[in-house]
Amino acid sequence: MNYEKEIKKLAAEKGALILAHNYQPAEIQDLADITGDSLELARKAKEAKESTLVVCGVYFMAETAKILSPEKTVLIPRPDGGCPLADQLNPSAVLAAKKAHPGSPFVVYVNSNAATKAECDITCTSANAADVVRSLKEDTILFGPDANLAAYAQRLVPEKTIIPVPQDGGCPTHHQFSVRDVEAARREYPNATIICHPECSPDVQLASDLVGSTGYMIRRCGEKKEWVILTEKGIIHPLQKKYPDTIFHGIDTAVCSNMKLITKEDLYITLRDGVVPIQVPESIADRARLAIERMIGASA
Ligand code: 13P
């Protein structure tokens, strides 16, 4: 079957918009109407006129789209694609941290489950973590589940005290990078600029030349001719597409298996059969929406 043709035909017939994260397999990104980082996808999902959204990403991304557009049908081709980072913070840990630090707002990374977001004051993504922290009037901020992103925000907003919850939350794909990798990359590619994601450890962030979200990487990588990219390898596809004459060195082991589940066949079946629709209980969605909309307002 010519999946590309059938997917485009079905999407047009059903008035569906296909959104894909920058880490998705290349063929899925190429079939999408919109690609982007977590913040860009959340914004586009909210603004979309289409009544059906197909979110090619991990579960929390589709959940975020559904929370922002409860009237739309939001489909995810592979609901088994979770985020190991999201599972590192649950609602009771948020409530316990708030009890231990009365009056301190909780900033929750979008890489979290809806029930956790519902207990938090505001969400953030890697693209706007510092802006979100700065937007809060309080001096002490609870932040989770990514302790590396918390450290990044702390470095950019030194006037606040950011408490990571849990102390050591992190993404296994980004956690594998070490300063030794950065040093080895500098030896091997002396002319390259090294850019890492803020989910990398603070040491790796400091050893790199630039730090930013996947969307930031796509914006900045036109500035130099050779780069070492320290994030999930899927990002190399949109980078190479946008900057065909630039040299990108990705890290072969930096693969998020959850991000790589969706195939063209899955996407075709999703559109054909309308599966799998995301459901978020209203009592959770209403509170989580407040946290996500506050973020969108804070980083406009
Ligand atoms: P971005 O928001 O930078 O695309 O990152 C999403 C993510 O899940 C990183 O692991």
Side-chain angles (χ1 to χ4, degrees), residues 21-23 36-39 60-61 109 111 125-127 171 174 197 199 212-215 259:
H21 187 263
N22 292 324
Y23 294 158
D37 69 12
S38 305
L39 182 61
F60 77 80
M61 294 177 175
Y109 193 24
N111 299 40
T125 72
S126 60
C171 159
H174 288 90
H197 196 275
E199 287 183 20
S213 73
T214 60
M259 277 284 184

Side-chain angles (χ1 to χ4, degrees), residues 219-293:
R219 285 192 296 281
R220 295 293 303 262
C221 280
E223 294 172 15
K224 298 272 168 66
K225 285 285 155 233
E226 187 177 358
W227 295 85
V228 171
I229 308 289
L230 299 179
T231 190
E232 212 275 347
K233 219 179 127 193
I235 187 69
I236 302 295
H237 178 67
L239 287 173
Q240 201 68 80
K241 217 167 146 176
K242 182 153 188 195
Y243 307 111
D245 299 328
T246 302
I247 301 168
F248 294 105
H249 306 286
I251 306 291
D252 280 340
T253 53
V255 176
C256 169
S257 53
N258 291 294
M259 277 284 184
K260 298 293 185 264
L261 289 174
I262 299 172
T263 63
K264 283 188 276 189
E265 187 181 5
D266 292 327
L267 185 49
Y268 167 73
I269 292 169
T270 290
L271 283 159
R272 186 191 67 190
D273 299 348
V275 290
V276 173
I278 299 281
Q279 311 282 4
V280 184
E282 214 176 286
S283 58
I284 288 177
D286 287 349
R287 289 186 299 143
R289 189 176 308 113
L290 282 178
I292 302 169
E293 281 180 344

Side-chain angles (χ1 to χ4, degrees), residues 2-199:
N2 182 338
Y3 282 118
E4 284 84 353
K5 200 170 141 217
E6 293 303 317
I7 286 166
K8 288 202 181 307
K9 196 169 127 210
L10 279 172
E13 268 168 34
K14 308 214 167 182
L17 185 76
I18 304 172
L19 303 104
H21 187 263
N22 292 324
Y23 294 158
Q24 281 292 294
E27 65 269 25
I28 300 299
Q29 294 195 43
D30 289 345
L31 280 165
D33 301 299
I34 288 167
T35 55
D37 69 12
S38 305
L39 182 61
E40 289 157 353
L41 294 185
R43 282 210 172 108
K44 297 287 181 191
K46 186 173 153 70
E47 291 162 7
K49 300 279 172 286
E50 290 78 359
S51 57
T52 298
L53 307 179
V54 180
V55 179
C56 299
V58 289
Y59 196 83
F60 77 80
M61 294 177 175
E63 209 176 41
T64 301
K66 179 68 184 173
I67 291 166
L68 285 171
S69 304
E71 73 292 353
K72 290 179 189 150
T73 301
V74 177
L75 306 172
I76 183 164
R78 289 294 298 259
D80 50 338
C83 171
L85 175 59
D87 294 335
Q88 292 169 42
L89 183 65
N90 60 33
S92 46
V94 172
L95 293 173
K98 287 186 130 192
K99 199 167 167 199
H101 299 277
S104 296
F106 203 117
V107 176
V108 69
Y109 193 24
V110 278
N111 299 40
S112 54
N113 301 314
T116 301
K117 287 185 179 78
E119 300 302 339
C120 295
D121 299 277
I122 186 166
T123 63
C124 76
T125 72
S126 60
N128 63 13
D131 289 342
V132 166
V133 166
R134 265 189 219 103
S135 76
L136 299 168
K137 63 179 190 321
E138 293 83 356
D139 292 329
T140 302
I141 315 281
L142 302 162
F143 192 113
D146 194 303
N148 294 336
L149 184 62
Y152 172 71
Q154 181 69 84
R155 193 152 54 79
L156 294 187
V157 194
E159 63 275 22
K160 306 258 186 197
T161 300
I162 300 179
I163 301 172
V165 183
Q167 287 280 320
D168 55 356
C171 159
T173 305
H174 288 90
H175 211 69
Q176 65 171 288
F177 302 128
S178 67
V179 172
R180 262 204 272 166
D181 295 322
V182 181
E183 288 166 354
R186 283 213 191 277
R187 278 194 301 275
E188 199 171 348
Y189 309 113
N191 298 322
T193 303
I194 300 181
I195 187 164
C196 80
H197 196 275
E199 287 183 20

